[in-house]
Amino acid sequence: MSPFTGSAPRTPEWRHLRVTVDESGVATVTFARPEKLNALTFGAYADLRDLLAELSREKSVRALVLAGEGRGFCSGGDVDEIIGATLAMDTAQLLDFNRMTGQVVRAIRECPFPVVAALHGVAAGAGAVLALAADFRVADPSARFAFLFTKVGLSGGDMGAAYLLPRVVGLGHATRLLMLGDTVRAPEAERIGLISELTDEGRSDEAAQALAHRLAEGPALAYAQTKALLTAELDMPLAAAVEMDAATQALLMNGEDYAEFHAAFTAKRPPKWQGR
């Protein structure tokens, strides 16, 4: 993401999300409609898309936690405010909407900092895909995933799910989850690789914050390049992938963090990572 901005000022307030950034550079973005199980609205999608772009340009955030207030993470698109509204849209409007939801997933995958989803309760529909798009999924035993798109008469391949899910859990599990839309509870989700870390009951937010702070204290540029390569190389042949790895390493070997590691190792002290 380019750091250069035009005439648009920084957004002073995000009306559809709760956003905080602490002194360590950890941003916490919370879906805050607990009375609706954090169901998404058009505004929430657009805010998340624009927020991730803005944070990526500013380069002040070193890790981001995506969380949900109340009884669950996110129940997906609001039945009245999105599903009901889309029934009155024409094809061009529907295409604009569906492209926007995909842009949110791309923003999560392409932002230059790690994204940690803190999961408890339901992560359904679009909520499940947003969790899937994160780099880490930290969940407590109450967490449950449901890719519900076929249950409302739509393709299970929504928002990039048919691209991402097979790469996380394998084609067989992805076919079952996207076609049938059945609920996957935390033990099975951990077994098939859908959960990165399973915590004790009620500890997912705490564990996600701990992981985000660990990442924020680490070599930010190395993490950003690792994330970029993981995404870019999903569709590359081996020869192209190893060439991209070589070029990336050559650039990073000219960086301050690489030299700092050697200096710290020699002085027998922890490295002081600068993200450069």
Side-chain angles (χ1 to χ4, degrees), residues 218-229 248-249 252 257 273 275-276:
L221 186 57
Y223 290 155
Q225 292 306 307
T226 301
K227 177 172 180 173
L229 291 177
T248 300
Q249 298 296 51
L252 291 177
D257 279 351
W273 305 114
R276 296 193 292 268

Side-chain angles (χ1 to χ4, degrees), residues 91-200:
T91 301
Q93 293 171 315
L94 292 168
L95 185 57
D96 284 341
F97 165 65
N98 284 285
R99 282 176 171 162
M100 176 176 69
T101 65
Q103 288 163 358
V104 174
V105 170
R106 284 191 59 186
I108 294 173
R109 293 305 314 149
E110 295 175 2
C111 63
F113 41 79
V115 176
V116 182
L119 304 171
H120 69 284
V122 66
V129 183
L130 295 180
L132 174 65
D135 301 291
F136 300 90
R137 285 162 296 283
V138 177
D140 81 2
S142 72
R144 57 194 188 276
F145 297 82
F147 297 87
L148 296 173
F149 306 108
T150 59
K151 289 184 178 288
V152 301
L154 298 176
S155 165
D158 193 47
M159 298 172 60
Y163 178 88
L164 290 171
L165 193 59
R167 289 162 170 79
V168 173
V169 303
L171 180 59
H173 289 306
T175 300
R176 173 172 58 91
L177 300 184
L178 294 183
M179 282 198 178
L180 299 179
D182 290 344
T183 298
V184 181
R185 299 189 180 276
E188 182 187 2
E190 183 186 32
R191 177 177 62 79
I192 65 177
L194 192 51
I195 287 176
S196 309
E197 178 185 348
L198 185 60
T199 73
D200 293 334

